[in-house]
Amino acid sequence: MSAFQPDFAKPDFAGAQVRPSPNCGERRNGRKPDMLILHYTGMATAQEALDWLCVEESQVSSHYFVDEAGLITQMVAESARAWHAGESNWKGETDNNSASIGIEIAHVGHREGGTPDFPDVQIDAVIVLCRDIVARNGIAAERVLAHSDIAPLRKQDPGEMFPWNRLYREGIGHWVEPLPVGGGRFFQEGDSGQPVEALQTMLALYGYGLEVDGVYSAQTAAVVRAFQRHFRPARVDGIADASTIGTLHKLLSELPGVA
């Protein structure tokens, strides 16, 4: 990719840098970005991850990269199509690379024995960057998403430790206070029937890509886990308990045009 004029130009981005990645192209069919997708790198170090995103061999990239110290690097111009979403689906749209702007956040990812917190200074930088992107591109709150939301069978980033509630308090993304985890009726893999179909319909209405067939399949369980990681992170198990379903109801009730 040729050099480009960075999309950040305000004092808030002091110290930000540009490192062009060759892994990009034109947005297809003139698609303008109206989604913001957040990722974690899942690699041992920030430098290793940044290097990988900027070499042709990897065939992956994102528009921005934020390291643990909060340094922002732009790799692809927002007007271009970065290669970060992969095989994905949101509200029936499958070319989410053309529809979105992607941010990679340096983080080791899910590891045996626990997943580390994101440093405050890093999240501070992510908030500044997201707020700017959302404002300039008119991105709706409910279209600020996790990679796991659009690719639940393949991805689990940025994970349940990512502070979506903190971003929401700063005016970024969609969030409601999740219902407490407790007892009550639940649905899990292997179940079937009209209540499962109703759950699948609600998840699809929110935007998740899944088959609405009344069968609680591995795909449905993966979508429920993705939903939990984003909106009910206290327990991520793929089981649709009362807390999960109630939180989904609350989110849907706030969407424009959804009764």
Side-chain angles (χ1 to χ4, degrees), residues 108-178:
V108 296
H110 287 78
R111 292 289 187 270
E112 188 175 350
T115 303
D117 289 331
F118 292 80
D120 286 342
V121 66
Q122 184 180 43
I123 297 302
D124 289 343
V126 170
I127 287 169
V128 169
L129 179 58
C130 287
R131 188 186 290 127
D132 185 65
I133 292 169
V134 165
R136 285 188 291 100
N137 292 278
I139 296 173
E142 66 273 14
R143 291 181 73 80
V144 179
L145 299 165
H147 196 190
S148 55
D149 288 324
I150 65 172
L153 284 167
R154 299 188 304 111
K155 297 295 181 178
Q156 51 188 349
D157 57 307
E160 56 272 22
M161 299 305 293
F162 187 77
W164 291 103
N165 55 343
R166 183 175 165 195
L167 267 68
Y168 175 75
R169 291 196 299 269
E170 298 289 344
I172 303 156
H174 191 198
W175 178 264
V176 297
E177 190 62 30

Side-chain angles (χ1 to χ4, degrees), residues 60-113:
V60 292
S61 65
S62 66
H63 294 89
Y64 297 96
F65 177 90
V66 183
D67 74 10
E68 298 95 335
L71 176 63
I72 297 169
T73 301
Q74 185 168 13
M75 295 171 286
V76 176
E78 289 181 16
S79 58
R81 179 180 182 271
W83 302 344
H84 62 98
E87 184 179 347
S88 56
N89 186 319
W90 192 256
K91 286 190 173 292
E93 187 167 19
T94 56
D95 181 12
N96 288 299
N97 280 330
S98 287
S100 66
I101 292 169
I103 301 175
E104 285 278 0
I105 303 165
H107 188 273
V108 296
H110 287 78
R111 292 289 187 270
E112 188 175 350

Side-chain angles (χ1 to χ4, degrees), residues 89-91 148-149 152 203-204 206-210 223 226-227 230-231:
N89 186 319
W90 192 256
K91 286 190 173 292
S148 55
D149 288 324
L203 288 164
Y206 195 79
Y208 289 93
L210 78 167
V223 168
F227 176 85
H230 190 154
F231 297 107

Side-chain angles (χ1 to χ4, degrees), residues 24-63:
C24 61
E26 294 185 3
R27 294 186 183 274
R28 295 171 181 166
N29 301 314
R31 186 70 164 85
K32 301 295 184 184
D34 63 5
M35 301 169 66
L36 177 59
I37 309 300
L38 305 187
H39 309 252
Y40 67 41
T41 58
M43 299 182 76
T45 70
Q47 190 61 56
E48 179 184 1
L50 183 58
D51 290 345
W52 183 243
L53 291 163
C54 292
V55 294
E56 188 172 359
E57 174 193 358
S58 72
Q59 292 293 285
V60 292
S61 65
S62 66
H63 294 89

